[in-house]
Amino acid sequence: VIRTLTVFLAVALAAASPALAAQPRTSLPDGEDEVMCPSCKTPLNVAESPQAYRQREYIRSLVAQGLTKEQVKQRLVDEYGQDVLALPEDDGIGLAAYLVPVAAVAGLAALLVLLLPRWRRRARQQPVTAAAAGPTVSDAELRRLDEDLRRHDR
Amino acid sequence: VRRSVVPFVVVAATALVALLVYGLTATGESTTLDDAVVRGERPVAPTRALPKLGGGTGSLADYKGKPVVLNFWASWCEPCEAEAPALRRAQARLKRAGGTVLGVTVQDATPDSQRFAKEHSIDFPSLRDVDGELGKDYGRTGVPETFIIDRDGRVAAISRGQVDDKFFEDNLRRVL
């Protein structure tokens, strides 16, 4: 009985594995906005060109094979090159996309390092202004306040 | 504070303007080959080892000593479809002279390229310019584009667009 059950289980697993492998693990809309149509130089989800249609068909065929989103992207890179990823190039002018933000942050940090001590020094040197010391109250106003409080207590 | 910030702002603005100017000039199309051919010169045809459609690797350099028609194409490109019969006829002519048409697929999935080749009875070899580097060497701006290369590996004629029998009639005899 055990042997029959084992054989049955093995046959069932063997029959089920291709079906499991072909289960879609991603979809066209899921990754369409993360890849480019290389000839149109626009994201695939907004591209309308013969190449974009072909590329969508190709992605659908990969999805039908049960590939994950990352596997689909890798296959697209293998077929269409790095330009298919919605990433700037890492050479020439494309490098600016990576370097400019770093340079901007470094510049701002340098500016803060230079200016913060000055701002602190200036803040320490400034005398306490009248506004910072609070509003002044006249004697007449104080008397009126005392009367109001007394009336309120009664 | 304001006075000490000014130099930073000026430097940053200058750097940004310089970057923009560089970007505009560096990403322009290369017309080096076209200019040389127009002057009547025969510039050296760039070569690169690339994967072959159907497996293995190949290069234009493999055909040294033979006349070659280098044709950039893609299965999704309608003019490529229109020029396929003319390329087939050019291939027959080149074959008799020991040469070949050498296709280069551009931004095209392998199954699509193979289907296109089968549908249009293309019997010449094709390379796959996956990262577009060979295209950059040739100043490619689109598809189709065709380069006639002589036995010394030099560019004799260029077509930046669809070719026909007349183009081959006018230019092939210069390299055969």
Side-chain angles (χ1 to χ4, degrees):
Chain A
V1 175
I2 290 169
R3 198 186 299 162
T4 314
L5 270 173
T6 313
V7 170
F8 177 78
L9 204 65
V11 169
L13 275 174
S17 58
L20 284 173
Q23 282 294 310
R25 285 193 269 178
T26 184
S27 64
L28 176 66
D30 188 26
E32 213 186 3
D33 57 341
E34 292 172 34
V35 295
M36 300 285 283
C37 163
S39 68
C40 349
K41 310 226 180 285
T42 55
L44 185 61
N45 61 340
V46 294
E48 294 294 335
S49 73
Q51 197 214 345
Y53 296 130
R54 284 286 172 87
Q55 205 176 324
R56 286 192 192 103
E57 279 307 310
Y58 184 58
I59 293 174
R60 277 192 200 102
S61 74
L62 298 177
V63 169
Q65 287 171 36
L67 268 60
T68 63
K69 189 157 88 173
E70 285 313 308
Q71 287 171 327
V72 169
K73 277 187 182 176
Q74 188 50 53
R75 291 284 282 271
L76 289 175
V77 170
D78 294 345
E79 295 294 346
Y80 299 101
Q82 285 291 330
D83 286 354
V84 81
L85 298 178
L87 291 170
E89 285 178 28
D90 59 0
D91 64 345
I93 189 68
L95 259 183
Y98 298 100
L99 296 181
V100 167
V102 174
V105 169
L108 281 174
L111 211 62
L112 279 177
V113 166
L114 274 174
L115 295 179
L116 265 180
R118 282 192 207 179
W119 288 341
R120 274 192 185 163
R121 227 178 299 137
R122 199 162 297 176
R124 255 184 261 133
Q125 282 165 3
Q126 268 176 359
V128 178
T129 61
T136 51
V137 185
S138 68
D139 290 341
E141 283 170 329
L142 275 174
R143 268 197 304 277
R144 251 178 62 200
L145 182 65
D146 283 339
E147 281 167 25
D148 285 347
L149 285 172
R150 245 177 273 131
R151 225 177 297 141
H152 183 73
D153 287 342
R154 265 182 257 142
Chain B
V1 175
R2 254 182 231 161
R3 217 176 299 147
S4 57
V5 172
V6 169
F8 283 99
V9 174
V10 170
V11 168
T14 312
L16 273 178
V17 170
L19 192 68
L20 278 174
V21 171
Y22 171 74
L24 287 172
T25 51
T27 54
E29 293 153 9
S30 165
T31 56
T32 316
L33 288 180
D34 304 63
D35 295 343
V37 169
V38 165
R39 284 196 300 269
E41 296 166 13
R42 288 198 178 183
V44 175
T47 65
R48 265 176 200 273
L50 294 173
K52 264 176 158 177
L53 188 65
T57 54
S59 163
L60 175 66
D62 300 342
Y63 302 93
K64 204 160 184 195
K66 298 170 180 175
V68 174
V69 167
L70 191 75
N71 174 255
F72 288 88
W73 65 276
S75 67
W76 43 264
C77 145
E78 283 171 23
C80 302
E81 212 169 335
E83 70 175 14
L87 279 164
R88 250 189 346 252
R89 285 188 284 272
Q91 168 66 354
R93 216 171 142 188
L94 280 158
K95 223 173 176 178
R96 287 196 294 272
T100 186
V101 173
L102 180 62
V104 182
T105 65
V106 173
Q107 293 159 349
D108 205 18
T110 305
D112 292 338
S113 304
Q114 286 174 327
R115 200 177 311 121
F116 181 95
K118 199 175 171 193
E119 277 170 15
H120 295 277
S121 311
I122 287 172
D123 62 346
F124 52 78
S126 282
L127 306 174
R128 297 179 59 235
D129 191 18
V130 177
D131 278 314
E133 294 300 325
L134 189 68
K136 269 186 205 160
D137 295 342
Y138 280 86
R140 187 188 65 77
T141 55
V143 275
E145 289 191 8
T146 304
F147 299 80
I148 294 188
I149 296 159
D150 66 17
R151 292 175 193 272
D152 297 326
R154 292 176 175 275
V155 181
I158 298 173
S159 167
R160 303 272 183 195
Q162 187 183 326
V163 287
D164 53 15
D165 289 323
K166 190 178 178 310
F167 173 78
F168 291 121
E169 193 55 47
D170 293 346
N171 294 292
L172 266 188
R173 70 181 124 190
R174 296 159 61 191
V175 299
L176 289 179

